Structure formats: C-alpha cells, structure tokens
Amino acid sequence: PTQVVDDMSARSTCAPSPAVALHASKRASSSSSTRRAAVVPRAVVPRAASPSAEASAPMAKDSAATIAPFEFATAARIVFGVGTVARVPALVTELTTLEGCADEPVLVVAGASDRFSAPLTKALSEASIASHVYHCEGGEPTTATAEAAIALATKRGCGAVVAIGGGTPVDVGKCVAAVLTNGGSDPDLYDFLEVVGRARPLTRRAAPFIAVPTTAGPGAEVTKNSVLEAGDRKVSMRHAFMLPDVCVIDPELTRSMPASVTAHTGLDALTQCVEPYVSNASNPLTDAVAISGIKAGARSLLRAFECPDDVAAREDMCLCSLYGGLSLANAKLGAVHGFSGTLGGLLHAPHGAICAALLPHCCAINVAALRGRVAETDPAASSAYLRRYEDVARVVTGRDDATADDGVAWMTALVARVGVPGLGTFGLKESDFDDVVRKSKESSSMKGNPVALSGEELKAMLRAAL
C-alpha cells in the first residue's frame, strides 16, 4: 500500500475520506501530532507482506520488485504559510550571499500591475537590496515576454530573480534565471527552447531564483520547466537546473483573485492532482501527494470561490496547487493537459479555463474506455485504473460507496456551479478538431493518460467541452 500523510491542520472538520482508512497505529504513536495517516491501495501492484511476515520468512530468490524505479525532484526549499511573503528579503539576502552575488541587483518579475511588486520592492529596498522590475503583459507567457525580461536583466546586471504573481511571471522568471547563467554576454532564448529553438541543455545552475505565486493553480513554483506561447503553439524550456531555489507560498496573496480566476486556477490545480494519480507513470510518492491535493481541493474550491476572504479555504487551495505541481513534475499528466498546450496556442485562452472545461469529460471518456475495450483486451489494467478513479470519487464525494461515475458527476456539477465557460466561448469549432487532435496526440502529457484514446474519443471529448 501507499502511505499518505495528510498535512492539513486540525482546523478541518471534514471527516477523513472514505477512500482511505486511518492508519491507527501511526496515529496512536504520534498523539501530539494533528496529522492523519491514511492508506490508499496501490492499483497496479499486489499488496506487500506485513513486516512480521517478512521477518519470519526469508525472501524468495526469484521475488520481483513491485515498484518501478522513480525520482522525485522539486524546489530546494518550500516556505508555506500566511504572512511568509514578509520573509522574502531575508531569503534573498541569504541566497545571494551564499551564491556570491549579494552586490548585484535583483530582477523582480511581476504581472501587469504593481499590486504585488510595489510592496515587494519597497521591502527589498528597506533591506538594502537593489532591484529592477519587469512587468509581464496580461495573459499567458510568451517568448517575446521572456526575451524582454532577459534583456532587462542582462542590461541591469542582475544576479538573482524573484518572480511574484501567477503562472506567467513564475514561468518567465525561470527562463530569465536560467539564461542569465547559460546565455553568455549576448543571450538568445531560442538556444534553449524546445520545438521552435535549438533545445540546448543547460550546463550551469540557474541564477538564484525565488518564486512567490499569487494564484493557486499552476504549481509552476515547484516544476523544472517554463511553458511559453510561440505564435500558435506552446513550447517549453526545461531542465532540472530550472527548479526554484526557494518558493514562498503565502495564501494571503491569493485572496484578491477574482472569482473566475479562483475557479479556473483551482480546477487546474485539482486536475494536476487527479491526472498524475490516475496516470500510467504514478509512483508511491506522487500518489501520496496527489491524493492529499485532491482532498484539499475538493473540500475548499467552492468555498474559496464563494467566500474569497476565507483564509482556511485559500490555504487548502494553495496546498492543492502545490501538491499538483509536485505531482505533475514527478509523474505524468493526461489528456486534459495533452490538449491544453495545443488549445492554448490556438485559442489564446487561459490555461486554467481550458483544463477546467475539459476535466469532467476527460474522466468520463477514460472511464468508458477502461470499462469497454480495455476491459476486453487487458482486464487487469482496466480494473487497476478504474479502482483509481473510484479512489478519486470517494475522496471528492465523501462517500465510501462512490463509483467512478459519481466522481465524474461531482466534477461536472462543480464546473457548472463555478461557471466555467465551454471551449466554444473561446472560439473552438468542430472544424478545428482534426488538427487539434493530430497535434495533441504527440504531446508528452497525452502519453501519460491511463488509456490511449482514439481520434474519435478525443474528438468526443472536445465536442462535450464546447
């Protein structure tokens, strides 16, 4: 079994999900702790023998490993909690002193307004840290935005980067930090971009980089890649050196999000927990993180949408976002994100809105395929993945008898309740389907889907999301 530790505080009055059983012995041995330990059955491996059984019988010579080798990489340091944004100047000083660039200015990458950047630069100045600000234009991050930020950082001789804002400033900030140390005196972003560039690997660690997200959804603060729009497509720059040195997650910063942004980013975060959990590349660590993220998002997304000043709900959604970023970076995603890159480039719509519109329909079509043709050709795989969808359903509904269909119905109702627009609202037409499916089938996220969907199944998903 995979042991899952729920790090939510004792304030929550939600009952433990019926999808998981309390690990009574661990809870009893940690009486002073408010943490709850839970057990989620692994869907694809047999249950291991108990420790006592293992101690009494030698391992057979021909016994095989039940867990595939895996890695787990993330930001070097995660700072979480209300009020933690106040620690950023001290963290900058600590990091730049360690890296030998404390005498160089910091580039602050922010959104279009100065709502977050102005207080931050004031705090940096009070700590005797010089800074320059680059404001990203509204919308999704683009190659042009990243190039302009890199040019400013190079011109001003910046030695470190702090990104504060949504996914756009964080992704742009990662690019800047990486190119500052790898691009030479005349840096060219396209040296490092995939698909449209030369995809050169990084050979040096990125400049010191601190990510401060102000939305709860993308999870970019704990991933090793940046996704940028390049014309009508989305492309990536990725390397382990791009993982932030520090991410500071202050739920208080998310209270000012408009309701629609709370809904879209929150559903994106939930998707980024669900897809890795049911993917074909999950591992025990991502399972633990993802199921905790699903629990946090399920109990608090609607509350955060309807009561934006509820700090406890904002904390939950920040955890959901964090757990989603950790999960997607170390497992795989699925058809929702397989489509999102192509659709984002075509429609120039917010990433979170695209994922929100697709999520329930992706789950419905995956479940139907698993019950149908996959059950006929590979019943073991069908059963294993369907059990994972049942785990999700039991967590989100709070019912121990919930089925995969109940989980889909819960997601469908939530998407409707928070007013997620259909993809047709952004301009998607049936005449686009063939091209969108062709391009999306080759994405790395699509290859993580628990079942390889046919062209017709993928078109049906798009049609349902219109």
Side-chain angles (χ1 to χ4, degrees):
T2 297
Q3 195 168 19
V4 179
V5 178
D6 180 356
D7 288 321
M8 297 312 301
S9 65
R11 62 163 172 77
S12 175
T13 58
C14 298
S17 164
V20 294
L22 286 178
H23 196 302
S25 61
K26 186 167 185 176
R27 182 178 61 180
S29 66
S30 304
S31 59
S32 63
S33 172
T34 59
R35 295 180 177 177
R36 298 188 302 272
V39 176
V40 177
R42 291 275 304 161
V44 293
V45 297
R47 185 180 179 88
S50 67
S52 58
E54 290 173 354
S56 62
M59 184 176 289
K61 292 182 179 180
D62 60 349
S63 66
T66 59
I67 299 174
F70 67 90
E71 296 183 18
F72 194 97
T74 188
R77 185 175 179 184
I78 298 171
V79 179
F80 185 98
V82 170
T84 52
V85 69
R87 295 176 57 184
V88 171
L91 291 166
V92 170
T93 297
E94 178 183 329
L95 185 58
T96 56
T97 300
L98 181 66
E99 296 294 332
C101 57
D103 58 343
E104 299 170 355
V106 172
L107 181 72
V108 174
V109 183
S113 79
D114 63 358
R115 178 175 52 193
F116 298 112
S117 60
L120 176 59
T121 55
K122 182 175 184 291
L124 292 172
S125 178
E126 291 170 350
S128 300
I129 300 169
S131 63
H132 301 282
V133 181
Y134 177 80
H135 289 287
C136 300
E137 296 180 1
E140 298 295 296
T142 66
T143 54
T145 300
E147 286 179 307
I150 290 166
L152 178 61
T154 303
K155 179 180 179 180
R156 300 297 188 185
C158 295
V161 181
V162 177
I164 185 165
T168 292
V170 173
D171 270 0
V172 170
K174 279 190 277 190
C175 287
V176 175
V179 174
L180 277 178
T181 55
N182 287 269
S185 59
D186 186 21
D188 183 353
L189 174 66
Y190 281 79
D191 281 342
F192 308 101
L193 290 178
E194 299 172 356
V195 183
V196 298
R198 290 167 282 282
R200 277 177 41 195
L202 302 184
T203 57
R204 297 177 181 175
R205 289 180 57 189
F209 177 55
I210 296 177
V212 187
T214 62
T215 61
E221 66 274 10
V222 288
T223 64
K224 66 180 180 180
N225 67 305
S226 295
V227 181
L228 308 174
E229 284 190 0
D232 64 349
R233 65 177 68 188
K234 285 198 171 186
V235 299
S236 289
M237 177 177 173
R238 75 180 81 225
H239 196 279
F241 290 166
M242 293 176 67
L243 283 163
D245 295 289
V246 185
C247 72
V248 178
I249 304 170
D250 187 339
E252 186 74 23
L253 300 180
T254 69
R255 290 173 62 182
S256 60
M257 281 195 296
S260 61
V261 177
T262 295
H264 298 164
T265 58
L267 281 161
D268 184 23
L270 188 61
T271 303
Q272 290 172 172
C273 292
V274 171
E275 287 201 304
Y277 187 74
V278 301
S279 82
N280 58 29
S282 64
N283 63 64
L285 197 45
T286 60
D287 284 351
V289 172
I291 205 72
S292 290
I294 294 167
K295 289 163 68 176
R299 71 179 165 230
S300 290
L301 197 158
L302 187 59
R303 178 69 178 174
F305 175 78
E306 295 180 339
C307 305
D309 290 327
D310 187 323
V311 176
R314 293 296 188 183
E315 286 176 325
D316 261 0
M317 292 314 301
C318 284
L319 283 177
C320 181
S321 176
L322 171 62
Y323 293 167
L326 294 170
S327 299
L328 74 90
N330 293 284
K332 285 186 180 290
L333 288 161
V336 171
H337 281 83
F339 271 133
S340 67
T342 304
L343 290 173
L346 172 67
L347 305 176
H348 302 288
H351 171 77
I354 292 171
C355 293
L358 286 168
L359 175 60
H361 310 298
C362 174
C363 292
I365 285 174
N366 280 345
V367 168
L370 290 167
R371 284 177 177 159
R373 55 187 175 80
V374 178
E376 295 175 358
T377 59
D378 191 345
S382 170
S383 178
Y385 287 121
L386 285 172
R387 282 199 298 271
R388 292 201 159 231
Y389 275 106
E390 289 168 358
D391 288 342
V392 172
R394 290 165 185 163
V395 169
V396 300
T397 65
R399 289 172 35 217
D400 59 6
D401 63 344
T403 65
D405 291 334
D406 294 327
V408 171
W410 182 91
M411 293 177 196
T412 302
L414 178 62
V415 165
R417 178 76 174 268
V418 299
V420 173
L423 296 180
T425 303
F426 299 110
L428 183 66
K429 304 180 294 293
E430 288 226 21
S431 58
D432 298 320
F433 286 6
D434 286 336
D435 192 46
V436 168
V437 167
R438 178 181 59 79
K439 291 178 179 178
S440 300
K441 267 191 166 184
E442 299 307 313
S443 73
S444 59
S445 292
M446 193 69 79
K447 293 173 183 176
N449 206 56
V451 53
L453 298 174
S454 68
E456 288 306 311
E457 287 168 326
L458 292 170
K459 289 179 190 177
M461 190 186 308
L462 293 174
R463 192 171 294 111
L466 274 178

